[in-house]
Coordinates of all heavy atoms in Angstrom, one line a residue:
Q155 N 18.1 11.2 18.9 CA 18.0 9.9 19.5 C 18.3 8.8 18.5 O 18.2 7.6 18.8 CB 16.6 9.6 20.2 CG 16.3 10.4 21.4 CD 15.8 11.9 21.0 OE1 15.3 12.2 20.0 NE2 16.4 12.9 21.8
G156 N 18.5 9.2 17.2 CA 18.9 8.2 16.3 C 17.6 7.6 15.6 O 17.8 6.6 14.8
E157 N 16.5 8.2 15.7 CA 15.2 7.8 15.1 C 15.0 8.5 13.8 O 15.4 9.5 13.6 CB 14.0 8.0 16.0 CG 14.0 7.3 17.3 CD 13.9 5.9 17.2 OE1 13.2 5.3 16.3 OE2 14.7 5.1 17.9
L158 N 14.6 7.7 12.7 CA 14.4 8.1 11.4 C 13.5 9.4 11.4 O 12.3 9.3 11.8 CB 13.8 7.1 10.5 CG 13.5 7.4 9.1 CD1 14.8 7.9 8.3 CD2 12.7 6.2 8.4
L159 N 14.0 10.5 10.8 CA 13.1 11.6 10.5 C 12.7 11.6 9.1 O 11.6 12.1 8.7 CB 13.9 12.9 10.8 CG 14.0 13.4 12.3 CD1 15.0 14.6 12.4 CD2 12.6 13.7 12.9
G160 N 13.6 11.2 8.2 CA 13.4 11.2 6.8 C 14.6 11.0 6.0 O 15.5 10.5 6.5
V161 N 14.4 11.2 4.7 CA 15.5 11.0 3.8 C 15.7 12.2 2.9 O 14.7 12.8 2.5 CB 15.2 9.8 2.9 CG1 16.3 9.5 1.8 CG2 15.2 8.5 3.7
M162 N 17.0 12.5 2.5 CA 17.2 13.6 1.6 C 17.8 13.0 0.3 O 18.5 12.0 0.3 CB 18.4 14.6 2.1 CG 18.6 15.8 1.2 SD 20.3 16.2 1.2 CE 21.0 15.0 0.1
K163 N 17.3 13.6 -0.8 CA 17.9 13.1 -2.2 C 18.3 14.4 -2.9 O 17.6 15.3 -3.1 CB 16.8 12.4 -3.0 CG 17.3 12.0 -4.4 CD 16.3 11.2 -5.1 CE 16.9 10.7 -6.4 NZ 15.9 9.9 -7.2
A164 N 19.6 14.3 -3.3 CA 20.2 15.4 -4.1 C 20.6 14.8 -5.5 O 21.4 13.9 -5.4 CB 21.4 16.1 -3.4
V165 N 20.0 15.3 -6.5 CA 20.4 14.8 -7.9 C 21.5 15.7 -8.4 O 21.3 16.8 -8.9 CB 19.1 14.9 -8.8 CG1 19.5 14.3 -10.1 CG2 18.0 14.1 -8.2
L166 N 22.7 15.2 -8.4 CA 24.0 15.9 -8.7 C 24.2 15.7 -10.3 O 24.3 14.6 -10.8 CB 25.2 15.3 -7.9 CG 26.6 15.9 -8.3 CD1 26.6 17.4 -8.0 CD2 27.6 15.1 -7.5
N167 N 24.3 16.8 -10.9 CA 24.5 16.8 -12.3 C 25.9 16.4 -12.6 O 26.9 17.0 -12.1 CB 24.2 18.3 -12.9 CG 24.3 18.4 -14.3 OD1 24.7 17.5 -15.0 ND2 23.7 19.5 -14.8
V168 N 26.2 15.4 -13.5 CA 27.5 15.0 -13.7 C 28.3 16.0 -14.6 O 29.5 16.0 -14.8 CB 27.6 13.6 -14.4 CG1 27.0 12.5 -13.5 CG2 26.8 13.6 -15.8
Q169 N 27.6 17.1 -15.1 CA 28.3 18.1 -15.7 C 29.4 18.7 -14.9 O 30.4 19.1 -15.4 CB 27.3 19.2 -16.1 CG 28.0 20.4 -16.8 CD 28.6 20.1 -18.1 OE1 28.1 19.2 -18.9 NE2 29.8 20.6 -18.4
E170 N 29.3 18.7 -13.5 CA 30.3 19.3 -12.7 C 31.5 18.4 -12.8 O 32.6 19.0 -12.8 CB 29.8 19.2 -11.2 CG 30.8 19.8 -10.2 CD 30.4 19.9 -8.8 OE1 29.5 19.0 -8.3 OE2 31.0 20.5 -8.0
V171 N 31.4 17.1 -12.9 CA 32.6 16.2 -13.0 C 33.3 16.5 -14.4 O 34.5 16.6 -14.4 CB 32.2 14.7 -12.9 CG1 33.3 13.8 -13.2 CG2 31.5 14.5 -11.6
F172 N 32.5 16.7 -15.4 CA 33.0 16.9 -16.7 C 33.8 18.3 -16.7 O 34.8 18.4 -17.4 CB 32.0 16.9 -17.8 CG 31.3 15.5 -18.0 CD1 29.9 15.4 -18.2 CD2 32.0 14.4 -17.9 CE1 29.4 14.2 -18.4 CE2 31.5 13.1 -18.0 CZ 30.1 13.0 -18.2
S173 N 33.2 19.3 -16.0 CA 33.8 20.6 -16.0 C 35.2 20.5 -15.4 O 36.1 21.1 -15.9 CB 33.0 21.6 -15.2 OG 31.8 21.7 -16.0
V174 N 35.3 19.7 -14.2 CA 36.6 19.7 -13.6 C 37.5 18.9 -14.5 O 38.7 19.3 -14.5 CB 36.4 19.0 -12.2 CG1 37.7 18.6 -11.5 CG2 35.5 19.8 -11.2
I175 N 37.1 17.8 -15.0 CA 38.1 17.0 -15.9 C 38.5 17.8 -17.1 O 39.6 17.8 -17.4 CB 37.4 15.7 -16.3 CG1 37.1 14.8 -15.1 CG2 38.2 15.0 -17.5 CD1 36.3 13.5 -15.4
D176 N 37.5 18.6 -17.7 CA 37.9 19.4 -18.8 C 39.0 20.5 -18.5 O 40.0 20.7 -19.1 CB 36.8 20.2 -19.4 CG 35.9 19.3 -20.2 OD1 36.3 18.1 -20.5 OD2 34.7 19.6 -20.5

Side-chain angles (χ1 to χ4, degrees):
Q155 292 75 37
E157 296 296 319
L158 176 66
L159 282 173
V161 175
M162 184 216 75
K163 181 178 183 182
V165 179
L166 177 64
N167 188 344
V168 296
Q169 179 62 40
E170 180 177 24
V171 175
F172 296 142
S173 295
V174 170
I175 292 171
D176 286 347

